């Protein structure tokens, strides 16, 4: 059996836990605790170690899904969780005050990991705030010299999160069959 590891990351409240739960074939392992800092204004609980889920593929392969904590104070987990990973799914909320700053922060924080793997970006909560548009994200990345697949996603919708996983796998191995 072949096992692979994909990392989900992004700021607090973008939908990492929800995304893993929407696509996992097993009941996800969630390490949420009661929020005790400024996060509690956004949501009652927050991931403090990781989220974990798994997808079983037909050909005896499994993809292990690990969600990082979104708070920078838990960034020691980011390096631990990326070990052995094949790529990063970065979720960015369009409803946060400065989603471009969030995107650049996480791309920089995971720069070394991304340099040896691949990254795909999913923009969540565009139904709550429709600007910036996806084109604006592409322009931001282009200005930074990066070419990264970007998709509008709803973390609650399995098909949307499947699209992110498939896009990441195709960017790693363009010869994969659908």
């Amino acid at each position: 059996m072949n096992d692979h590891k994909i990392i989900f990351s992004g700021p607090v409240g973008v939908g990492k836990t929800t995304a893993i739960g929407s696509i996992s074939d097993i009941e996800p392992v969630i390490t949420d605790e009661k929020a005790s800092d400024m996060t509690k204004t956004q949501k009652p609980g927050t991931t403090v170690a990781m989220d974990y889920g798994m997808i079983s593929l037909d050909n005896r392969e499994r993809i292990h899904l690990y969600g990082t904590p979104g708070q920078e104070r838990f960034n020691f987990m980011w390096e631990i969780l990326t070990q052995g990973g094949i790529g990063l799914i970065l979720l960015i909320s369009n409803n946060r005050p400065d989603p471009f700053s969030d995107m650049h922060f996480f791309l920089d924080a995971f720069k070394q990991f991304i340099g040896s793997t691949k990254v795909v970006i999913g923009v969540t909560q565009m139904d709550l705030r429709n600007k910036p548009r996806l084109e604006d994200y592409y322009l931001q990345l282009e200005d930074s010299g990066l070419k990264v697949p970007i998709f509008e996603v709803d973390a609650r919708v399995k098909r949307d999160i499947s699209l992110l996983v498939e896009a990441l796998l195709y960017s790693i191995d363009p010869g994969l069959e659908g």
Side-chain angles (χ1 to χ4, degrees), residues 34-177:
K34 185 176 178 182
S36 61
D37 58 5
M38 65 183 181
T39 302
K40 67 184 171 189
T41 62
Q42 298 173 27
K43 60 184 198 165
T46 188
T47 302
V48 295
M50 67 176 183
D51 297 318
Y52 171 77
M54 185 182 65
I55 302 170
S56 297
L57 303 176
D58 292 340
N59 57 357
R60 298 182 41 94
E61 289 188 87
R62 295 184 301 198
I63 299 174
H64 301 273
L65 311 169
Y66 289 88
T68 70
Q71 296 170 310
E72 190 174 0
R73 67 187 172 123
F74 296 119
N75 68 355
F76 63 92
M77 287 299 299
W78 301 350
E79 187 173 330
I80 293 168
L81 292 173
T82 57
Q83 291 175 12
I86 62 171
L88 176 71
I89 293 177
L90 177 58
L91 296 178
I92 300 296
S93 170
N94 216 45
N95 200 36
R96 284 182 49 96
D98 189 352
F100 293 150
S101 178
D102 292 339
M103 179 177 68
H104 290 298
F105 172 82
F106 279 89
L107 288 172
D108 188 55
F110 287 90
K111 188 177 197 169
Q112 186 174 354
F113 178 64
I114 293 167
S116 62
T117 62
K118 297 289 184 181
V119 63
V120 172
I121 297 174
V123 182
T124 64
Q125 300 176 350
M126 290 189 83
D127 57 328
L128 300 177
R129 189 167 144 213
N130 63 3
K131 289 193 178 172
R133 301 164 303 139
L134 283 184
E135 296 81 17
D136 300 322
Y137 285 92
Y138 279 111
L139 290 172
Q140 281 284 314
L141 290 172
E142 192 175 283
D143 289 346
S144 301
L146 295 172
K147 288 188 179 185
V148 176
I150 304 173
F151 301 91
E152 176 182 346
V153 297
D154 183 331
R156 301 166 293 189
V157 177
K158 182 177 184 173
R159 185 182 75 237
D160 286 6
I161 305 309
S162 293
L163 174 66
L164 291 175
V165 171
E166 289 172 18
L168 181 63
L169 294 175
Y170 285 127
S171 69
I172 294 168
D173 184 358
L176 288 175
E177 294 180 20

